[in-house]
Coordinates of all heavy atoms in Angstrom, one line a residue:
M18 N 0.9 -1.1 0.0 CA 0.0 0.0 0.0 C 0.9 1.2 0.0 O 1.8 1.4 0.9 CB -0.9 -0.1 1.2 CG -1.9 1.0 1.3 SD -3.1 0.9 2.7 CE -2.7 -0.7 3.4
K19 N 0.7 2.1 -0.9 CA 1.5 3.3 -1.1 C 1.0 4.4 0.0 O -0.2 4.5 0.2 CB 1.3 3.9 -2.4 CG 1.9 3.0 -3.5 CD 1.7 3.8 -4.8 CE 2.3 2.9 -5.9 NZ 2.2 3.5 -7.2
T20 N 2.0 5.0 0.6 CA 1.7 6.0 1.7 C 1.5 7.4 1.0 O 1.0 8.3 1.7 CB 2.7 6.0 2.7 OG1 4.0 6.3 2.2 CG2 2.8 4.7 3.5
A21 N 2.0 7.6 -0.2 CA 1.9 8.9 -0.8 C 0.6 9.2 -1.5 O 0.5 10.2 -2.2 CB 3.1 9.0 -1.8
V22 N -0.3 8.3 -1.3 CA -1.6 8.4 -2.0 C -2.5 9.3 -1.1 O -2.6 9.1 0.1 CB -2.3 7.1 -2.2 CG1 -3.7 7.2 -2.8 CG2 -1.4 6.2 -3.1
S23 N -3.1 10.3 -1.7 CA -4.0 11.2 -1.0 C -5.3 10.5 -0.5 O -5.7 9.5 -1.1 CB -4.4 12.4 -1.9 OG -5.4 12.0 -2.8
D24 N -5.9 11.0 0.5 CA -7.1 10.5 1.0 C -8.2 10.5 -0.1 O -9.0 9.5 -0.2 CB -7.6 11.3 2.2 CG -6.8 11.0 3.5 OD1 -5.9 10.1 3.5 OD2 -7.1 11.7 4.5
Q25 N -8.2 11.6 -0.8 CA -9.2 11.6 -1.9 C -9.1 10.5 -3.0 O -10.0 9.9 -3.4 CB -9.2 13.0 -2.6 CG -10.4 13.2 -3.6 CD -11.7 13.0 -2.9 OE1 -12.0 13.6 -1.9 NE2 -12.6 12.2 -3.5
Q26 N -7.8 10.2 -3.2 CA -7.6 9.2 -4.2 C -8.0 7.8 -3.7 O -8.5 7.0 -4.4 CB -6.1 9.1 -4.5 CG -5.6 10.2 -5.4 CD -4.1 10.2 -5.6 OE1 -3.3 10.2 -4.7 NE2 -3.7 10.3 -6.9
R27 N -7.8 7.6 -2.3 CA -8.3 6.4 -1.7 C -9.8 6.3 -1.7 O -10.3 5.2 -2.0 CB -7.8 6.3 -0.3 CG -6.2 6.1 -0.2 CD -5.8 6.0 1.3 NE -4.4 6.2 1.4 CZ -3.5 5.3 1.4 NH1 -3.8 4.0 1.3 NH2 -2.2 5.6 1.6
Y28 N -10.5 7.4 -1.4 CA -11.9 7.4 -1.5 C -12.4 7.1 -2.9 O -13.4 6.4 -3.1 CB -12.5 8.7 -0.9 CG -12.5 8.8 0.5 CD1 -11.8 9.8 1.2 CD2 -13.3 7.9 1.3 CE1 -11.9 9.9 2.6 CE2 -13.4 8.0 2.7 CZ -12.6 8.9 3.3 OH -12.7 9.0 4.7
D29 N -11.7 7.7 -3.9 CA -12.1 7.5 -5.3 C -12.0 6.1 -5.7 O -12.8 5.5 -6.4 CB -11.3 8.4 -6.2 CG -11.7 9.9 -6.1 OD1 -12.7 10.2 -5.5 OD2 -10.9 10.7 -6.5
A30 N -10.9 5.4 -5.2 CA -10.6 4.1 -5.5 C -11.7 3.2 -4.9 O -12.2 2.2 -5.5 CB -9.3 3.6 -5.0
L31 N -12.1 3.5 -3.6 CA -13.2 2.7 -3.0 C -14.5 2.8 -3.8 O -15.2 1.8 -4.0 CB -13.4 3.2 -1.6 CG -12.3 2.8 -0.6 CD1 -12.6 3.5 0.7 CD2 -12.3 1.3 -0.3
A32 N -14.8 4.0 -4.3 CA -16.0 4.3 -5.0 C -15.9 3.5 -6.3 O -17.0 2.9 -6.8 CB -16.2 5.8 -5.3
E33 N -14.8 3.4 -7.0 CA -14.7 2.6 -8.2 C -14.9 1.1 -8.0 O -15.5 0.5 -8.8 CB -13.3 2.8 -8.8 CG -13.1 4.2 -9.4 CD -11.7 4.4 -10.0 OE1 -11.1 3.5 -10.5 OE2 -11.2 5.6 -10.0
L34 N -14.3 0.6 -6.8 CA -14.6 -0.8 -6.5 C -16.0 -1.0 -6.3 O -16.6 -2.1 -6.7 CB -13.8 -1.1 -5.2 CG -12.2 -1.2 -5.4 CD1 -11.6 -1.4 -4.0 CD2 -11.8 -2.3 -6.3
A35 N -16.7 -0.1 -5.6 CA -18.2 -0.3 -5.4 C -18.9 -0.2 -6.7 O -19.8 -1.0 -6.9 CB -18.7 0.8 -4.4
A36 N -18.6 0.7 -7.6 CA -19.2 0.8 -8.9 C -19.0 -0.4 -9.7 O -20.0 -0.8 -10.4 CB -18.7 2.1 -9.6
S37 N -17.9 -1.1 -9.6 CA -17.7 -2.3 -10.3 C -18.1 -3.6 -9.6 O -17.9 -4.7 -10.0 CB -16.2 -2.4 -10.7 OG -15.4 -2.6 -9.6
D38 N -18.8 -3.3 -8.4 CA -19.3 -4.4 -7.6 C -18.2 -5.4 -7.2 O -18.5 -6.6 -7.1 CB -20.5 -5.1 -8.3 CG -21.4 -5.9 -7.4 OD1 -21.6 -5.4 -6.3 OD2 -21.8 -6.9 -7.8
D39 N -17.1 -4.9 -6.9 CA -15.9 -5.8 -6.5 C -16.0 -6.0 -5.0 O -15.2 -5.5 -4.2 CB -14.6 -5.1 -6.9 CG -13.4 -6.1 -6.8 OD1 -13.6 -7.2 -6.1 OD2 -12.4 -5.8 -7.5
R40 N -16.8 -6.9 -4.6 CA -17.1 -7.3 -3.2 C -15.9 -7.9 -2.6 O -15.6 -7.6 -1.4 CB -18.3 -8.2 -3.1 CG -19.5 -7.6 -3.7 CD -20.6 -8.6 -3.8 NE -21.8 -8.0 -4.4 CZ -23.0 -8.5 -4.3 NH1 -23.2 -9.6 -3.6 NH2 -24.0 -7.8 -4.9
T41 N -15.1 -8.7 -3.3 CA -13.9 -9.3 -2.7 C -12.9 -8.3 -2.4 O -12.4 -8.3 -1.2 CB -13.3 -10.3 -3.8 OG1 -14.3 -11.3 -4.1 CG2 -12.1 -11.0 -3.2
A42 N -12.6 -7.3 -3.2 CA -11.6 -6.3 -2.9 C -12.1 -5.4 -1.8 O -11.3 -5.1 -0.9 CB -11.3 -5.4 -4.1
L43 N -13.4 -5.1 -1.7 CA -13.9 -4.3 -0.6 C -13.7 -5.1 0.7 O -13.4 -4.5 1.7 CB -15.3 -3.9 -0.8 CG -15.5 -2.9 -1.9 CD1 -17.0 -2.8 -2.3 CD2 -15.0 -1.5 -1.5
G44 N -14.0 -6.4 0.7 CA -13.8 -7.2 1.9 C -12.3 -7.2 2.3 O -12.0 -7.1 3.5
V45 N -11.5 -7.3 1.4 CA -10.0 -7.3 1.7 C -9.6 -6.0 2.4 O -8.9 -6.0 3.3 CB -9.1 -7.6 0.4 CG1 -7.7 -7.3 0.7 CG2 -9.4 -9.0 0.0
I46 N -10.2 -4.9 1.9 CA -9.8 -3.6 2.5 C -10.3 -3.5 3.9 O -9.6 -3.0 4.8 CB -10.5 -2.5 1.6 CG1 -9.7 -2.4 0.3 CG2 -10.5 -1.1 2.4 CD1 -10.4 -1.5 -0.7
V47 N -11.5 -4.0 4.2 CA -12.0 -4.1 5.6 C -11.0 -4.9 6.5 O -10.8 -4.5 7.6 CB -13.4 -4.7 5.7 CG1 -13.9 -4.8 7.1 CG2 -14.4 -3.8 4.9
R48 N -10.5 -5.9 5.9 CA -9.6 -6.8 6.7 C -8.1 -6.3 6.8 O -7.4 -6.8 7.6 CB -9.6 -8.2 6.1 CG -10.8 -8.9 6.2 CD -10.7 -10.3 5.5 NE -11.9 -11.1 5.7 CZ -12.9 -11.1 4.9 NH1 -13.0 -10.4 3.8 NH2 -14.1 -11.8 5.1
T49 N -7.8 -5.2 6.0 CA -6.4 -4.7 6.0 C -6.1 -3.9 7.3 O -6.6 -2.8 7.4 CB -6.2 -3.9 4.7 OG1 -6.5 -4.7 3.6 CG2 -4.8 -3.4 4.7
G50 N -5.3 -4.4 8.2 CA -5.1 -3.8 9.4 C -4.3 -2.5 9.3 O -4.4 -1.6 10.2
G51 N -3.5 -2.3 8.3 CA -2.6 -1.1 8.2 C -3.3 0.1 7.7 O -2.8 1.2 7.6
L52 N -4.6 -0.1 7.2 CA -5.4 1.0 6.6 C -6.2 1.7 7.7 O -6.8 1.0 8.6 CB -6.3 0.4 5.5 CG -6.9 1.4 4.6 CD1 -5.8 2.1 3.8 CD2 -7.7 0.5 3.6
R53 N -6.3 3.0 7.6 CA -7.0 3.8 8.6 C -8.5 3.3 8.6 O -9.1 3.0 7.6 CB -6.9 5.3 8.3 CG -5.6 5.9 8.7 CD -5.6 7.4 8.8 NE -6.6 8.1 8.0 CZ -6.3 9.0 7.1 NH1 -5.1 9.2 6.7 NH2 -7.3 9.6 6.4
G54 N -9.1 3.4 9.8 CA -10.4 2.9 10.0 C -11.5 3.6 9.2 O -12.4 3.0 8.8
E55 N -11.3 4.9 8.8 CA -12.3 5.5 8.0 C -12.5 4.9 6.6 O -13.6 4.8 6.1 CB -11.9 7.0 7.9 CG -10.7 7.3 7.1 CD -10.2 8.8 7.2 OE1 -10.7 9.5 6.4 OE2 -9.4 9.1 8.0
F56 N -11.4 4.4 6.1 CA -11.4 3.7 4.8 C -12.0 2.4 4.9 O -12.8 1.9 4.0 CB -10.0 3.7 4.2 CG -9.4 5.0 3.9 CD1 -8.3 5.4 4.7 CD2 -10.0 5.9 3.0 CE1 -7.7 6.7 4.4 CE2 -9.4 7.2 2.9 CZ -8.3 7.5 3.6
R57 N -11.7 1.7 6.0 CA -12.3 0.4 6.2 C -13.8 0.5 6.5 O -14.6 -0.4 6.0 CB -11.6 -0.3 7.4 CG -10.1 -0.5 7.1 CD -9.3 -0.8 8.3 NE -9.6 -2.2 8.6 CZ -9.1 -2.8 9.8 NH1 -8.4 -2.0 10.7 NH2 -9.3 -4.0 10.0
R58 N -14.2 1.5 7.2 CA -15.7 1.7 7.4 C -16.4 2.1 6.1 O -17.5 1.6 5.9 CB -15.9 2.8 8.5 CG -15.6 2.3 9.9 CD -16.0 3.3 10.9 NE -15.2 4.6 10.8 CZ -14.0 4.8 11.3 NH1 -13.4 3.8 12.0 NH2 -13.4 5.9 11.2
Q59 N -15.7 2.9 5.3 CA -16.3 3.2 4.0 C -16.5 2.0 3.1 O -17.5 1.8 2.4 CB -15.4 4.3 3.2 CG -16.1 4.8 2.0 CD -17.4 5.4 2.2 OE1 -17.5 6.4 2.9 NE2 -18.4 5.0 1.5
A60 N -15.5 1.1 3.2 CA -15.6 -0.1 2.4 C -16.8 -1.0 2.9 O -17.5 -1.5 2.0 CB -14.3 -1.0 2.5
L61 N -17.1 -1.0 4.2 CA -18.2 -1.7 4.7 C -19.5 -1.0 4.2 O -20.4 -1.8 3.8 CB -18.3 -1.6 6.3 CG -17.4 -2.5 7.0 CD1 -17.5 -2.2 8.5 CD2 -17.8 -4.0 6.8
E62 N -19.6 0.3 4.2 CA -20.8 0.9 3.6 C -21.0 0.6 2.2 O -22.1 0.4 1.8 CB -20.6 2.5 3.8 CG -20.5 2.9 5.3 CD -21.8 2.6 6.1 OE1 -22.9 2.6 5.6 OE2 -21.6 2.3 7.3
Y63 N -19.9 0.5 1.4 CA -20.0 0.2 0.0 C -20.5 -1.3 -0.2 O -21.3 -1.6 -1.1 CB -18.7 0.4 -0.8 CG -18.5 1.9 -1.1 CD1 -17.3 2.5 -0.9 CD2 -19.6 2.7 -1.7 CE1 -17.1 3.8 -1.3 CE2 -19.4 4.0 -2.1 CZ -18.1 4.6 -1.9 OH -18.0 5.9 -2.2
L64 N -20.0 -2.1 0.7 CA -20.5 -3.5 0.6 C -22.0 -3.5 0.9 O -22.7 -4.3 0.2 CB -19.7 -4.4 1.7 CG -18.3 -4.8 1.3 CD1 -17.6 -5.4 2.5 CD2 -18.4 -5.8 0.2
A65 N -22.5 -2.8 1.8 CA -23.9 -2.7 2.0 C -24.6 -2.2 0.8 O -25.7 -2.7 0.4 CB -24.2 -1.8 3.2
D66 N -24.1 -1.2 0.2 CA -24.7 -0.6 -1.1 C -24.8 -1.6 -2.2 O -25.7 -1.6 -3.0 CB -23.9 0.6 -1.5 CG -24.0 1.8 -0.6 OD1 -24.9 1.8 0.3 OD2 -23.2 2.8 -0.8
C67 N -23.8 -2.5 -2.2 CA -23.7 -3.6 -3.2 C -24.6 -4.8 -2.8 O -24.6 -5.8 -3.5 CB -22.3 -4.1 -3.4 SG -21.1 -2.9 -4.1
H68 N -25.3 -4.7 -1.7 CA -26.1 -5.8 -1.2 C -25.3 -7.1 -1.0 O -25.7 -8.2 -1.3 CB -27.3 -6.1 -2.1 CG -28.1 -4.9 -2.4 ND1 -28.9 -4.3 -1.4 CD2 -28.2 -4.0 -3.4 CE1 -29.5 -3.2 -1.9 NE2 -29.1 -3.1 -3.1
A69 N -24.1 -6.9 -0.5 CA -23.1 -8.0 -0.2 C -23.4 -8.6 1.2 O -22.5 -8.7 2.0 CB -21.7 -7.5 -0.4
T70 N -24.5 -9.2 1.4 CA -24.9 -9.7 2.6 C -24.0 -10.8 3.1 O -23.6 -10.8 4.3 CB -26.4 -10.2 2.6 OG1 -27.2 -9.2 2.2 CG2 -26.9 -10.7 4.0
T71 N -23.6 -11.7 2.2 CA -22.8 -12.8 2.6 C -21.4 -12.3 3.1 O -20.9 -12.8 4.1 CB -22.6 -13.8 1.4 OG1 -23.9 -14.3 1.0 CG2 -21.7 -15.0 1.7
E72 N -20.8 -11.4 2.4 CA -19.5 -10.8 2.7 C -19.7 -10.1 4.1 O -18.8 -10.2 4.9 CB -19.0 -9.9 1.6 CG -17.7 -9.3 1.9 CD -16.5 -10.3 1.9 OE1 -16.6 -11.3 1.2 OE2 -15.5 -10.1 2.6
L73 N -20.7 -9.3 4.3 CA -20.9 -8.6 5.5 C -21.1 -9.5 6.7 O -20.5 -9.4 7.8 CB -22.1 -7.7 5.4 CG -21.9 -6.4 4.5 CD1 -23.2 -5.8 4.2 CD2 -20.9 -5.5 5.2
E74 N -21.8 -10.6 6.5 CA -22.0 -11.6 7.5 C -20.7 -12.3 7.9 O -20.4 -12.5 9.1 CB -23.0 -12.7 7.1 CG -24.5 -12.2 7.1 CD -25.4 -13.1 6.5 OE1 -25.0 -14.1 5.8 OE2 -26.7 -12.9 6.6
S75 N -19.9 -12.6 6.9 CA -18.5 -13.2 7.1 C -17.6 -12.2 7.9 O -17.0 -12.6 8.8 CB -17.9 -13.5 5.8 OG -16.6 -13.9 5.9
L76 N -17.7 -10.9 7.5 CA -16.9 -9.9 8.3 C -17.4 -9.8 9.7 O -16.6 -9.5 10.6 CB -17.0 -8.6 7.5 CG -16.2 -8.5 6.2 CD1 -16.6 -7.3 5.4 CD2 -14.7 -8.5 6.5
A77 N -18.7 -9.9 9.9 CA -19.2 -9.8 11.3 C -18.7 -10.9 12.2 O -18.6 -10.7 13.4 CB -20.8 -9.8 11.2
E78 N -18.3 -12.0 11.6 CA -17.8 -13.1 12.4 C -16.3 -13.2 12.4 O -15.7 -14.0 13.1 CB -18.4 -14.4 11.8 CG -19.8 -14.5 12.0 CD -20.5 -15.7 11.3 OE1 -19.7 -16.5 10.8 OE2 -21.7 -15.8 11.3
E79 N -15.6 -12.3 11.7 CA -14.2 -12.3 11.5 C -13.5 -11.7 12.8 O -13.5 -10.6 13.0 CB -13.8 -11.4 10.3 CG -12.3 -11.4 10.0 CD -11.9 -12.7 9.4 OE1 -12.5 -13.2 8.4 OE2 -10.8 -13.1 9.8
T80 N -12.9 -12.6 13.5 CA -12.3 -12.2 14.8 C -11.0 -11.4 14.7 O -10.5 -10.9 15.7 CB -12.1 -13.4 15.7 OG1 -11.3 -14.3 15.1 CG2 -13.5 -14.0 16.1
T81 N -10.4 -11.4 13.5 CA -9.2 -10.7 13.3 C -9.3 -9.3 13.0 O -8.3 -8.5 13.0 CB -8.4 -11.4 12.1 OG1 -9.1 -11.3 10.9 CG2 -8.0 -12.8 12.4
I82 N -10.6 -8.8 12.8 CA -10.8 -7.4 12.6 C -11.4 -6.8 13.9 O -11.9 -7.5 14.8 CB -11.7 -7.0 11.4 CG1 -13.1 -7.6 11.6 CG2 -11.0 -7.5 10.1 CD1 -14.0 -7.2 10.4
E83 N -11.3 -5.4 14.0 CA -11.7 -4.8 15.2 C -13.2 -5.0 15.5 O -14.0 -5.1 14.6 CB -11.5 -3.3 15.1 CG -10.0 -2.9 15.3 CD -9.3 -3.0 14.0 OE1 -10.0 -3.3 12.9 OE2 -8.1 -2.8 14.0
R84 N -13.5 -5.1 16.8 CA -14.9 -5.3 17.2 C -15.9 -4.3 16.6 O -17.0 -4.7 16.2 CB -15.0 -5.3 18.7 CG -16.4 -5.7 19.2 CD -16.4 -5.7 20.7 NE -15.6 -6.9 21.1 CZ -15.2 -7.1 22.3 NH1 -15.4 -6.3 23.3 NH2 -14.5 -8.2 22.6
S85 N -15.5 -3.0 16.5 CA -16.4 -2.0 16.0 C -16.7 -2.3 14.5 O -17.9 -2.1 14.1 CB -15.8 -0.6 16.2 OG -14.6 -0.5 15.5
L86 N -15.8 -2.8 13.8 CA -16.0 -3.1 12.4 C -16.9 -4.3 12.3 O -17.8 -4.4 11.4 CB -14.7 -3.3 11.6 CG -13.8 -2.1 11.4 CD1 -12.5 -2.5 10.9 CD2 -14.4 -1.1 10.5
R87 N -16.7 -5.3 13.1 CA -17.6 -6.5 13.2 C -19.0 -6.1 13.5 O -19.9 -6.6 12.8 CB -17.1 -7.5 14.2 CG -15.8 -8.1 13.7 CD -15.4 -9.4 14.5 NE -15.6 -9.3 16.0 CZ -14.6 -9.1 16.9 NH1 -13.4 -8.9 16.5 NH2 -14.9 -9.1 18.2
R88 N -19.2 -5.2 14.5 CA -20.5 -4.8 14.8 C -21.2 -4.1 13.7 O -22.4 -4.3 13.4 CB -20.5 -3.9 16.1 CG -20.4 -4.6 17.4 CD -20.6 -3.7 18.6 NE -19.8 -2.5 18.6 CZ -18.8 -2.3 19.3 NH1 -18.3 -3.2 20.2 NH2 -18.1 -1.2 19.3
R89 N -20.4 -3.2 13.0 CA -21.0 -2.4 11.9 C -21.4 -3.4 10.7 O -22.4 -3.2 10.1 CB -20.0 -1.3 11.5 CG -20.6 -0.4 10.4 CD -21.7 0.4 10.9 NE -22.3 1.2 9.8 CZ -23.6 1.5 9.8 NH1 -24.4 1.2 10.8 NH2 -24.0 2.2 8.8
A90 N -20.5 -4.3 10.5 CA -20.8 -5.3 9.5 C -22.1 -6.1 9.8 O -23.0 -6.3 8.9 CB -19.7 -6.3 9.3
A91 N -22.3 -6.4 11.0 CA -23.5 -7.2 11.4 C -24.7 -6.3 11.2 O -25.8 -6.8 10.8 CB -23.4 -7.6 12.9
V92 N -24.6 -5.0 11.5 CA -25.8 -4.1 11.4 C -26.1 -4.0 9.9 O -27.3 -4.0 9.5 CB -25.5 -2.7 12.0 CG1 -26.5 -1.7 11.6 CG2 -25.4 -2.8 13.5
L93 N -25.1 -3.8 9.1 CA -25.3 -3.6 7.6 C -25.8 -4.9 6.9 O -26.4 -4.8 5.9 CB -24.0 -3.1 7.0 CG -23.6 -1.7 7.4 CD1 -22.2 -1.4 6.9 CD2 -24.6 -0.7 7.0
A94 N -25.5 -6.1 7.5 CA -25.9 -7.3 6.8 C -27.4 -7.5 6.9 O -28.0 -8.0 6.1 CB -25.2 -8.5 7.5

């Protein structure tokens, strides 16, 4: 992951993933520990927009991610 990428570029990339319905990549972003929480939460929201219930349910049970992200995934599922 490049550190010289602006926040706006990261948000734009997330939006592109959602527009292309790339649920797998959005799920990977949620699981990426080195990425700031705001981007991981945005990826969760995009998963909900894509109606990715299965992926959200899986994330809700994923013990390797923060509890707050798991709770949000459960709510969005």
Side-chain angles (χ1 to χ4, degrees):
M18 186 173 353
K19 295 181 180 182
T20 57
V22 177
S23 73
D24 286 355
Q25 188 57 51
Q26 288 173 308
R27 290 179 197 267
Y28 281 118
D29 291 345
L31 286 170
E33 287 178 33
L34 290 172
S37 64
D38 200 36
D39 194 339
R40 299 167 183 204
T41 301
L43 290 167
V45 168
I46 289 168
V47 175
R48 290 178 177 94
T49 302
L52 195 57
R53 286 196 336 242
E55 64 189 279
F56 300 113
R57 297 167 77 187
R58 285 187 296 277
Q59 184 62 58
L61 280 174
E62 297 297 326
Y63 281 135
L64 282 168
D66 291 347
C67 293
H68 306 287
T70 305
T71 303
E72 182 69 26
L73 288 166
E74 289 172 346
S75 174
L76 289 166
E78 296 174 4
E79 182 75 46
T80 59
T81 60
I82 63 174
E83 287 84 5
R84 183 176 294 164
S85 63
L86 291 171
R87 291 194 315 260
R88 281 193 306 257
R89 186 65 184 150
V92 168
L93 293 170

